[in-house]
Amino acid sequence: NFSVLEENVRFNELRNVQLHNVVAGKHDGRTSFYTPLEHTNGRAYKSDGEDWRNIIERQVAINRLDTILDGKKIDVLKVDTEGMDLDVLEGMEGAMQNKMILVIEVWPSTYQGIMSWLENNRFDIIENQQLGKDKGFDNIYAVRGISD
């Protein structure tokens, strides 16, 4: 949750950090955000087959990374957004550098879309860390501009 992130930044005396209390996605506006009562692992989508009786739904701001960064460029980006990874990538075209590194936690439901996005945006996969069905996701390490 955002207050924990704020406290960590203060506690570690981080100076070159900007926090944005928004969901990163492929459009600007508002979206639903779902948080289970038993933990703080929220997400911006509902999963099929889950018991949603103990879920809090609220409306929150959603912005493209291009909007959040306001013209700044990214050198390294770690994306771990509980299945919203492709939406985050699709919202950052203007923030990409010719040479950059991406680390993405990929869920099975978004794997093909992310692999296509990486190929279309000239990223090379340097490692596909397959964590297996028990984890439910893979970590992909990709670079762009390494051969330029």
Side-chain angles (χ1 to χ4, degrees):
N1 99 14
F2 194 73
S3 61
V4 173
L5 181 59
E6 289 175 312
E7 180 57 33
N8 280 328
V9 169
R10 273 193 299 278
F11 179 79
N12 290 294
E13 299 179 3
L14 302 175
R15 302 285 179 241
N16 190 23
V17 173
Q18 292 181 343
L19 301 177
H20 301 270
N21 193 8
V22 300
V23 171
K26 62 181 173 182
H27 69 275
D28 294 322
R30 307 281 299 165
T31 191
S32 294
F33 192 79
Y34 306 94
T35 307
L37 294 175
E38 63 272 7
H39 56 80
T40 60
N41 188 16
R43 58 184 101 142
Y45 66 92
K46 287 184 175 182
S47 296
D48 293 336
E50 286 192 69
D51 181 1
W52 288 94
R53 289 175 289 185
N54 295 317
I55 303 288
I56 297 171
E57 177 182 356
R58 55 194 168 104
Q59 291 294 305
V60 298
I62 184 170
N63 290 114
R64 297 168 47 88
L65 279 180
D66 286 346
T67 302
I68 295 167
L69 294 171
D70 192 28
K72 295 180 181 89
K73 300 291 184 180
I74 297 171
D75 295 316
V76 178
L77 179 64
K78 166 69 167 114
V79 182
D80 180 355
T81 55
E82 304 302 317
M84 291 284 295
D85 314 300
L86 184 57
D87 287 1
V88 171
L89 296 175
E90 289 175 347
M92 64 170 261
E93 287 86 5
M96 289 190 296
Q97 295 277 25
N98 287 332
K99 294 184 179 185
M100 68 177 294
I101 300 167
L102 285 177
V103 180
I104 311 163
E105 179 184 283
V106 180
W107 289 44
S109 60
T110 60
Y111 183 87
Q112 289 301 328
I114 287 175
M115 296 304 281
S116 293
W117 186 92
L118 290 169
E119 182 180 336
N120 292 340
N121 287 280
R122 302 183 341 266
F123 280 88
D124 296 312
I125 308 301
I126 56 173
E127 184 176 351
N128 185 346
Q129 187 180 36
Q130 297 179 336
L131 301 174
K133 292 182 181 180
D134 60 321
K135 297 283 186 193
F137 60 87
D138 295 346
N139 282 328
I140 294 177
Y141 300 82
V143 295
R144 177 170 148 165
I146 195 168
S147 59
D148 294 345

